[in-house]
Amino acid sequence: MDATSRASDKLTIMKLLTALADADTGGLREALAEHCHEDAVFEVFHPFNTLRGIGEAADGFFEPLKASFPDYEHRLGLCIADVYEGRNVVSTLGHLMGTWSEQWLGIPATHGLTFVRFGLNAVMEEGKVAKAYILFDAVDVMRQAGRYPFRAMPGSAEQWPLPPIDTGATALGHDGDLGGRTLRIVREMQGSLGSGSDLADHVLTVDHSPHWHTNMNWYGPAGIGSTRGQRGFDDYHGALFIQAFPDRTGFPRVPGGPEEAPGHYIQAGDGRFAVTGGWPSLHGTHSGGQWLGMPPTGRRIEMRVADWYRVDEDDKLIDNWVLIDVLHMLAQMGYDVLDDLTFMVDPRKPRWIA
């Protein structure tokens, strides 16, 4: 693998994020054009979904974001690169932070400092972004505005810690050999998860993959929250998720198939970090009522998910940051969270329209 090319791709993503943060309102298209192909596709969390071309992406997503958080900056936790299915890929994770000055997604602004968890996975062609997958924790933004829509989170609602110092989470280099080993550990762990009754037995016995550290940290999106330790993961996420989606399983990836197909569009390892993600990557029947407190709908639900991992010096998985397109999942269940919010923001809005 060409470490220089991988490092260059990472630097391009860093420059893109810096340009987007530094641009004034009305200047987002120019910032995108410098680092993205004109016809780049942006797969963005619900309700934005697919935006084609930098013009549509600027007008539909980036300009409204800038209008709501005009002074925002990105605080990145990691930036990694690899080659997957013949494509050059880059992944980054962190917080977008800034003063929330105007409503965003219909959520009333707080006019104070706000943290937005985000992850971006990009496909690179000829040194520029050809496709980008963007996940934000929109429900956590609702929580910070005092508009949290679900039952109390089982896990911690606190903001995610980013990787410890000196763990190699940098955009200035690339370690493909160590990254390959990290990714193999992640894939072995994922391959041992099983499904259905196997997962239920796993929760009952607290029998984790040997790759997990005893004091593993699992950082989940708002609605689920974060947990520590294998028992914490089971009690506050694993058991509840399995009960809600007992037949949950991943989409098999067809070798040589299209990049936009279900299943992992990215698998990347770089140093002690790795990422996997699909759009969607999982599916299951919502037949239990434990997830977010939602009653079972009996519907088949697809899940857009990305997981970022860190292994320690003993090759144990110790950190797992997880972003899920929660609003997209709920839309499939028949619950439009943002539409429901409009009635809370404006109680005068009629709920019945003749």
Side-chain angles (χ1 to χ4, degrees), residues 305-323:
V305 183
D307 285 75
W308 291 262
Y309 300 89
R310 178 177 74 91
V311 299
D312 67 5
E313 293 79 3
D314 298 318
D315 286 343
K316 294 292 186 180
L317 290 163
I318 191 166
D319 287 320
N320 181 192
W321 296 266
V322 184
L323 281 172

Side-chain angles (χ1 to χ4, degrees), residues 55-74:
E56 190 171 312
D59 294 343
F61 178 68
F62 291 102
E63 287 288 359
L65 179 67
K66 173 65 71 170
S68 297
F69 304 93
D71 63 355
Y72 81 75
E73 61 177 288
H74 298 97

Side-chain angles (χ1 to χ4, degrees), residues 99-118:
T99 305
W100 189 358
S101 301
E102 295 183 14
Q103 69 80 26
W104 182 65
L105 290 175
I107 313 167
T110 64
H111 303 283
L113 176 61
T114 303
F115 297 85
V116 187
R117 302 165 181 153
F118 83 94

Side-chain angles (χ1 to χ4, degrees), residues 280-296:
S281 61
L282 301 170
H283 64 93
T285 307
H286 183 219
S287 55
Q290 297 301 317
W291 194 69
L292 308 185
M294 294 287 293

Side-chain angles (χ1 to χ4, degrees), residues 250-271:
F251 284 98
R253 192 74 170 179
V254 178
E259 178 263 324
E260 65 271 16
H264 283 166
Y265 64 83
I266 188 170
Q267 293 180 13
D270 186 351

